[in-house]
Structure formats: C-alpha cells, structure tokens
Amino acid sequence: MELTLWTYEGPPHVGAMRIAASMEGVHYVLHAPQGDTYADLLFTMIERRDRRPPVTYTTFQARDLGGDTAELVKRTIADAVQRFQPEALLVGESCTAELIQDQPGALAAGMDLGGIPMVSLDLPAYSKKENWGAAETFYQLVRGLLKSQVPPPGTPKPSPQRWLQEGRRPRVNLLGPTLLGFRCREDVREITTLLQEHGTDVSVVAPRLMSMSASTRRWPIRSAPGWSAASACRWCAPYRSASTPPKPF
Amino acid sequence: MGVSVADAAPALPELLKQSGQREVFCGLTSIVWLHRRMPDAFFLVVGSRTCAHLVQSAAGVMIFAEPRFGTAILGERDLAGLADANDELDRLVRDLLERRPEIRTLFLVGSCPSEVIKLDLSRAAERLTSQFNGRVRVLNYSGSGIETTFTQGEDNALQALLPLMPSSDESQLLIVGTLADAVEDRFVALFARMGLDVVRSLPPRRSSELPPVGKGTKVLLAQPFLSGTVRALVSRGAQHIQAPYPFGVEGSRAWMAAAAAAFGVDPALVAQVLDPLVERGRRALAPHRQVLEGKRLFLMPDSQMEIPLARFLSRECGMELVEVGTPYLDRMLMAEEMGMLPAGTQLSEGQDVERQLERVRAARPDLVVCGLGLANPLEAEGIATKWSIELVFSPIHGCDQAGDLAELFARPLRRRQLLTFS
Ligand code: SF4
C-alpha cells in the first residue's frame, strides 16, 4: 500500500485506451465499474478530441456481483461489435474487474465475433501503470494481428540495400506516438523532418491516427522505436531488414 | 440494452427506465467539494491507481502544497493477505497523521477494489480512532462506483458523520448539503431577519464542530441527492421539511418560506424579507431568459440535480424540456419538484449512454447538460453543451444567485450565436 497524493500516470487500461483511441477501426471493451468512465474526459477535455474514445464499459454494479457479471461482459461485447463494427477488438478489464476474475478475454474468445480479430489484454492493474499498459497493448495488437504473416523460419531477411536496388530513398516507420502523449505530435513532425533532411522517408506512423486496414501490413519493416513501442519493436526486430536505428531521445 | 417502463407521477409520461453503459462519475468525486468545505478533514481513498486518477481528473489540474485528499493505493501484496493490508493501512495513516497534525477528521473512503476484497474499513476506522485517542476521529464511508454515483458520495460522507452528532432536542433549523460559505452566510442572515436564530449546517465548516440533532431539529435539504442522510436524520427524531430545492428565484423563495412556515413565522414577515429579493432576482434573470426562452433542453443523468434544474429552466427561463435524465429517482426527495414540472415532461432514470445519445441526435436539442466525457463530442456535432460538474462547484443556490445560474446555461448559447454571426 502506498500513499499517493498525485499520480502522473494513470492505470494500465488508460494506456490501452490511448492505443485504441489513437487508431482507426479499433474498439476496446473494458470490464469496469461506472466511475471508470471518467477516463473518457482525458480524451475529450485534455486531448480535446471531437469524439469519445472507442471504448465501451460494462459499468457493473454491486448488485450485479451476486449474479452473472460474465453474462454482462458477453452482452456488452456483442452490443459493441454490432454497434461499432470494428476491424479489431480489444477486450480487457480495469482494477476492479481483475479482482472478480470473469476473464473477459476468454469469454470473448468463445464468442462468434463475425471473424474480426480479437486481442485479449492482460494488464495487471496493481503492479503496472499507464505507459506500460500502452506498450503492452500495442505489442499485443501488433503481435495478434501480424502473427499469421510471420515469414517461415529460414526465410532470408530482406536486403538492407533494397532501397538502392529499387532506386528509391530508404524508409522507416515511427512506432509509438499516441494520443495524450507528451508532445507526440510535435515530435513526429520534427523527427520526420530530420529524417527527410537526411534522405530517409517515414512510411508508417503508428499507432497515432493509423487506420487498421490501411497500414498494419506494412509494420514489420524498419522502425525507429520510441514512446510506447519498445515491446512491439523488439517483437518486430527479427523480421526487420536492418538493425534498429538509435532511439530518437 | 434493456429499456423498460415503470409508473410515474400522474401529470408526467411514464418514466423511461434504462440499463446499459452509464457515463457518470463514482461517489469518490464528491471529495473534490467536501475537502474544500471542511479544511480540517482529510479524505483518504483506499483503492487503486484508477481511483487516484479519477479524483484528480475530476478535480482538474490542482496540485496543493498540502493536499487534503489522497489515495492509499493497494498493491499486489495487499491483495494477497488482508492481515497485511490492515497493517499497511495503519502504518500509512500513522505516517500521514504524524506529518499533518492539523487534521481533525480522517475519512477512509472505500472504493470498488477495497469493497470487492472486503477490506473492512469500519473496523479500521474504529481501530485507528482508538489508537489516536481522540486527537483525530477516523470515519469511513463508501464512494465506490459499484455502490454510488457522483453526488451520492456526499450522502454517504454525511451519514458517516451522523453518529458523532450529539443528541439534543433544542429547536433548530438544520440546512443539509454543502453550500458555498458566502451563500450559507446569506441564508443564515435572511433566516435571522425572519426570526430564526438557530440555523446550523451539515456538513459544518469545521469537521469537529458538528451540529446536534433531535426532536427539535427541522431539516431543510440544500441538495437533492441526500436520500440516506435525510432518512437517518429523521430516524434521530428530526423532521424533514418538504420543499423544492433552492435553485432559481421561485425554488429559493419556496425553500426559505417552507422553513419559515415550519417554525410558524408570520407569512407577512416572510414576504417582507423575501419579496425584494424575488424582485431583484427576477430582474437579474430577465436578460438570460431572453436567450433561453423557447430553447430545447436535454439533461443527461449525472449530478442528480437534473430535475430541480429542469424545473427552474422551464418555469423561470422558458426552456422546453426534451428529456430529463436522473441517475436514480428518489420520489420522496423529488415530490415537490416533480409536481412543478410541466405536464408531459419525459423523465428517464438510469442510462444506456449510446441509446440516449441516439435520442439526443434525433431530437437535436439546443442545449445538452452532460458530463465532461460527452460535452466536446456533442459540440463537434453542433450541439451546445453545459458541463454538469460546474453545477456542483459553483455557488448557484438562492434568489441572489438565480441570475448567475441562468447565465451558466445562457453562456454556451450566446457563444454559439456569436460564432454563427461573426
Ligand atoms: S469506479 Fe470504483 S475503481 Fe473506479 S475510480 Fe470509482 S471507486 Fe475507483
């Protein structure tokens, strides 16, 4: 137990919300009590977004606890999928739901979601914080969505000289900038300009404002890691064509 | 999710009962105004990082040198063994109180996690009170999101104070519910002019100076969300004065007059004291009424103040009510208010936020009163909004404040007009 008068980071599921809200086509079903909906205001008031984050909360109450909260989770997932028709679904829980152990991810895995990919998030609320939650969510999302595209073992790595052979400038991806990230927008602009001045183009910036359908398939190429993407970069690393460039800061 | 229909007051259509996602703060939020009201108290949430984050997000960006609220964040070790969790809590409270000798009352505020793991905060409060031997009183109440919404936290905090209120049958008027200090002073002065000399407040300004309660106590509710507190006071012998709530000229006048009548004050004297205020209040309202008249209003369920505000905005400001949401409907506390709503007012209880937003979009009201998570997105859809949380932070009670209260709602409409015409 720790006395906290001010917390700079929120709980890990807020990190997951930052990833979900940064992307297009992702929806997050969060098993959480009603008060946890306060997190919406981080996006609508602090980030001043013109829409709510793509999150549906189960808002279970004490009187639900005696009954079937698992049923509530399933109903909420089914309703959210039908209403928002996401291209990928994140399913997770906040601190309180973690204690009641409904395992929403496992419940979702047993449901017919119409074929959309579902990523179950396991974000320990009593030992981890927001930035960790963001990194883990991004990692799980990348891994969950691209696992099927991992080249078979022994596939030769793409040549680092490919851009020369193809007669174009080299390109990198910037992974990690999110909504509610400190100066992420300015940093992306600055780094993109710096890279361009040095002859390198920026291909994908993710997760911030990245559309699920448009860009996921281009991820596992060269990436400049930073912000909340360390795990995702480590996972991508074996498939990249060159060694990781130095961190931007 | 499910929508069912239940019975309602005769003049009103059937109450729309909803269940689904509720977009509303939990009761921890009321710490934000309670800690300002009682500067000698400290509110210690026993919960998670989410709880800490909620309270500071609701409070806005305010870092105090000596904050009077904080969170004892449970860690994995606390979850593993409750015995340890109790020891840890004792240690943490001892450290806190040693560093902060000015604290007279410590509230241990229960949260969803502390309740789910069944950490017994009432036993902890007893244990700690005896350890501190009278120097500090340790109390507990629940502000958890599984038990309470938003303003219900104050209802629970006041009920925690109740057992400490001395018993006395002395005749007194007890105003219950947090008021801004200046507003409270004004009411006390007005009641004095009507001959009511013993007027006390709950919560008091100093947590250690609690008013007494007993057969001579007449309770006047300043806030419409104190269901448990008023019933507990009545069970200690107090009498509840039925009245509308002191919002707007009409409500405030009726509220003060009801108290005066309960003490047998001559109505002529009441009129002599209040009529000039009513006159001034109406004049202050007039320019805002011009902006609000005929505009269509939708209130999302949030602060539990929706029904009295709807009454004020329709009757005194001429607004049309599209839907009046309330997190829960306490018919005893709302009896007077519901009788004053225009016939045909659609009330809704509970929430399924997505479906309610569909109704908002379909009705395209001129103004929506809602929480901070919904406001900017609705503005982006071209609908003006008023943040309901402002209503619990602003001094809005009384005839003198009626103009300011109306102005709070007129402001977003005026701003839109300026933007459209410029
Ligand atoms: S809803 Fe529960 S867990 Fe969430 S902030 Fe409120 S008390 Fe804490």
Side-chain angles (χ1 to χ4, degrees):
Chain A
M1 203 176 290
E2 188 194 341
L3 177 64
T4 302
L5 301 174
W6 187 264
T7 173
Y8 286 95
E9 284 188 62
H13 71 261
V14 169
M17 287 179 68
R18 284 172 54 185
I19 301 299
S22 295
M23 300 175 71
E24 301 281 339
V26 178
H27 199 84
Y28 183 19
V29 173
L30 185 64
H31 196 19
Q34 62 188 354
D36 292 9
T37 60
Y38 82 88
D40 284 0
L41 81 84
L42 305 172
F43 296 88
T44 60
M45 300 300 292
I46 297 175
E47 184 79 35
R48 299 194 68 79
R49 291 208 91 200
D50 59 0
R51 59 198 126 136
R52 288 157 64 216
V55 182
T56 301
Y57 306 78
T58 58
T59 62
F60 62 90
Q61 293 178 289
R63 62 163 177 261
D64 298 321
L65 292 179
D68 201 348
T69 44
E71 204 38 58
L72 174 64
V73 173
K74 288 201 267 184
R75 208 160 62 228
T76 308
I77 292 172
D79 283 357
V81 168
Q82 200 200 359
R83 178 177 289 274
F84 299 102
Q85 313 240 320
E87 293 167 61
L89 185 71
L90 298 173
V91 176
E93 54 198 358
S94 74
C95 51
T96 309
E98 185 178 327
L99 299 171
I100 59 178
Q101 299 184 337
D102 282 324
Q103 304 196 309
L107 293 172
M111 293 172 67
D112 174 11
L113 301 174
I116 56 162
M118 187 280 295
V119 175
S120 165
L121 296 176
D122 191 7
L123 309 175
Y126 298 91
S127 54
K128 302 291 190 192
K129 297 187 214 169
E130 178 177 333
N131 286 334
W132 184 90
E136 177 69 8
T137 301
F138 190 44
Y139 165 63
Q140 293 295 350
L141 194 60
V142 172
R143 189 167 176 272
L145 296 178
L146 297 182
K147 211 162 37 188
S148 62
Q149 295 174 44
V150 171
T155 309
K157 283 187 180 180
S159 156
Q161 308 300 322
R162 205 163 31 132
W163 57 279
L164 283 173
Q165 292 146 18
E166 291 172 10
R168 59 169 173 81
R169 281 150 62 100
R171 33 172 209 248
V172 296
N173 295 338
L174 298 182
L175 298 189
T178 64
L179 292 177
L180 283 176
F182 184 64
R183 300 188 65 87
C184 274
R185 194 174 12 190
E186 291 78 8
D187 286 347
V188 167
R189 206 184 300 130
E190 190 71 11
I191 290 166
T192 305
T193 312
L194 282 172
L195 285 167
Q196 275 168 349
E197 281 170 5
H198 287 84
T200 301
D201 289 332
V202 171
S203 174
V204 173
V205 179
R208 195 184 158 103
L209 302 183
M210 199 201 66
S211 147
M212 276 304 302
S213 47
S215 306
T216 35
R217 259 156 234 112
R218 290 195 283 149
W219 278 354
I221 52 178
R222 252 193 251 187
S223 298
W227 302 288
S228 57
S231 314
C233 282
R234 267 196 299 280
W235 186 78
C236 290
Y239 316 116
R240 279 201 305 260
S241 56
S243 62
T244 309
K247 288 200 179 203
F249 37 71
Chain B
M1 289 179 197
V3 173
S4 69
V5 159
D7 56 358
L12 305 177
E14 283 174 309
L15 176 68
L16 188 58
K17 276 203 169 195
Q18 297 208 287
S19 64
Q21 178 179 317
R22 286 176 306 283
E23 183 90 8
V24 56
F25 291 136
C26 59
L28 296 183
T29 318
S30 34
I31 292 171
V32 180
W33 62 91
L34 287 169
H35 89 276
R36 288 194 209 157
R37 171 68 182 179
M38 293 181 281
D40 62 344
F42 191 98
F43 294 81
L44 182 66
V45 177
V46 183
S48 65
R49 188 168 304 280
T50 315
C51 308
H53 206 225
L54 166 124
V55 180
Q56 76 187 37
S57 301
V61 182
M62 299 191 291
I63 306 182
F64 300 100
E66 296 281 88
R68 295 191 305 274
F69 59 83
T71 306
I73 295 187
L74 297 161
E76 262 166 359
R77 280 196 23 227
D78 302 303
L79 303 179
L82 281 183
D84 290 351
N86 282 312
D87 292 347
E88 280 286 282
L89 181 60
D90 292 6
R91 173 190 60 81
L92 192 145
V93 167
R94 266 197 309 276
D95 286 356
L96 173 69
L97 293 178
E98 261 157 38
R99 269 188 294 130
R100 302 286 294 277
E102 78 283 7
I103 297 172
R104 287 283 157 272
T105 306
L106 174 72
F107 289 94
L108 302 176
V109 189
S111 67
C112 306
S114 78
E115 282 167 18
V116 169
I117 65 170
K118 301 200 164 28
L119 187 59
D120 190 340
L121 294 184
S122 73
R123 290 208 21 220
E126 271 172 37
R127 192 170 66 231
L128 288 160
T129 298
S130 67
Q131 277 180 28
F132 286 94
N133 223 352
R135 179 166 85 72
V136 182
R137 292 178 306 186
V138 185
L139 303 172
N140 78 287
Y141 71 90
S142 168
S144 82
I146 54 176
E147 294 282 0
T148 62
T149 83
F150 199 1
T151 50
Q152 267 179 311
E154 175 169 346
D155 192 25
N156 284 357
L158 298 189
Q159 286 177 79
L161 287 168
L162 224 103
L164 301 180
M165 290 167 65
S167 291
S168 158
D169 289 344
E170 182 193 356
S171 168
Q172 63 165 347
L173 175 63
L174 186 62
I175 299 176
V176 180
T178 298
L179 288 172
D181 289 355
V183 171
E184 180 196 17
D185 290 342
R186 177 75 171 144
F187 282 140
V188 171
L190 289 169
F191 282 126
R193 283 168 54 195
M194 292 184 254
L196 304 186
D197 291 323
V198 190
V199 181
R200 298 193 176 98
S201 297
L202 180 70
R205 294 184 195 189
R206 292 193 56 79
S207 66
S208 49
E209 290 167 7
L210 287 169
V213 60
K215 287 208 187 69
T217 301
K218 294 190 167 64
V219 170
L220 188 59
L221 287 183
Q223 296 285 18
F225 42 74
L226 301 170
S227 303
T229 306
V230 71
R231 287 170 174 87
L233 287 166
V234 166
S235 75
R236 297 252 330 243
Q239 187 195 327
H240 173 210
I241 303 172
Q242 286 281 358
Y245 295 89
F247 304 122
V249 174
E250 182 188 36
S252 303
R253 192 199 190 283
W255 184 78
M256 286 186 276
F263 285 90
V265 178
D266 177 4
L269 176 58
V270 174
Q272 189 194 321
V273 174
L274 295 182
D275 285 352
L277 297 186
V278 168
E279 191 50 41
R280 259 210 317 272
R282 290 217 177 106
R283 272 205 306 275
L285 265 178
H288 307 300
R289 186 181 167 110
Q290 278 183 3
V291 178
L292 296 170
E293 186 143 40
K295 296 289 191 313
R296 298 167 66 246
L297 176 71
F298 197 117
L299 296 109
M300 304 289 276
D302 204 39
S303 67
Q304 197 65 18
M305 295 157 97
E306 291 81 12
I307 293 176
L309 290 171
R311 179 262 303 157
F312 161 66
L313 290 165
S314 68
R315 290 169 68 105
E316 292 185 62
C317 302
M319 295 191 87
E320 274 174 44
L321 304 175
V322 177
E323 180 174 326
V324 182
T326 182
Y328 55 94
L329 181 60
D330 181 334
R331 287 176 191 275
M332 182 185 98
L333 262 57
M334 289 298 156
E336 301 274 326
E337 293 286 352
M338 282 169 70
M340 292 168 81
L341 287 174
T345 303
Q346 179 64 64
L347 294 180
S348 63
E349 180 184 31
Q351 190 174 32
D352 179 344
V353 69
E354 301 295 349
R355 297 179 64 163
Q356 196 164 32
L357 287 171
E358 281 171 5
R359 294 201 296 281
V360 169
R361 290 186 189 109
R364 293 219 58 93
D366 299 294
L367 186 67
V368 176
V369 179
C370 62
L372 297 173
L374 301 176
N376 275 339
L378 284 172
E379 293 273 350
E381 292 180 35
I383 298 172
T385 59
K386 177 83 251 159
W387 306 335
S388 50
I389 196 165
E390 265 189 82
L391 302 162
V392 293
F393 291 152
S394 315
I396 58 170
H397 298 75
C399 296
D400 309 317
Q401 258 62 242
D404 291 350
L405 179 57
E407 204 266 339
L408 281 180
F409 296 94
R411 199 185 304 154
L413 294 175
R414 283 207 178 94
R415 199 188 52 198
R416 273 198 177 258
Q417 254 168 7
L418 288 176
L419 290 175
T420 326
F421 292 139
S422 62

